Amino acid sequence: IPQPHHPTPSRWVVQWNERWNRYPLIGGHKREEESFRECMIREIIEELGLDEADFEVAPAPQAQLEFEGFSQRTQTTTSYEMEIFLVRLLRSAVARLGNPPTPPNRWLTSQEIQETREIRDDQNTVKSTISPTVGYIFEQLGLLKSEL
């Protein structure tokens, strides 16, 4: 979810995950009966506490990705299938999230995601890097340079 109406281009909302010690993107597991788009809407409401009227999800995905990666939750290599949607936050959502957003949410620049450097929270405590999946997704979308 990019940050609208901000002078710094390419800022994305992420949410600190204590179990993983990382910043993943907003999203989650798709229920069998829902589409990927419906899943995205549900996850934004659940994770950010927004109302459906606070944002717009693109009608079609920006990308469809299938890949294998290490699952922090299961501690094994897992096959992933996902659709990536561009989400536009309306001014009401930006106000509700705050600027900066309320913890555990945070806006990261593309440069911070590219560097996957240590990031500090409001108390100057080091929070680890972004999730490896975030880097992969941004790379596949052409938003980051490949490390290869």
Side-chain angles (χ1 to χ4, degrees), residues 63-78:
Q64 296 174 318
L65 301 175
E66 291 184 35
F67 62 96
E68 286 192 353
F70 184 76
S71 168
Q72 292 288 336
R73 187 174 58 82
T74 64
Q75 296 292 300
T76 60
T77 300
T78 304

Side-chain angles (χ1 to χ4, degrees), residues 9-30:
S10 301
R11 290 169 54 103
W12 309 88
V13 71
V14 292
Q15 190 173 72
W16 182 250
N17 184 310
E18 286 291 338
R19 283 191 352 222
W20 298 349
N21 204 34
R22 303 237 186 255
Y23 282 104
L25 293 172
I26 304 304
H29 291 93
K30 184 177 97 46

Side-chain angles (χ1 to χ4, degrees), residues 69-89:
F70 184 76
S71 168
Q72 292 288 336
R73 187 174 58 82
T74 64
Q75 296 292 300
T76 60
T77 300
T78 304
S79 294
Y80 292 95
E81 179 182 345
M82 62 180 66
E83 291 185 355
I84 310 299
F85 288 87
L86 185 60
V87 177
R88 186 171 76 89
L89 294 179

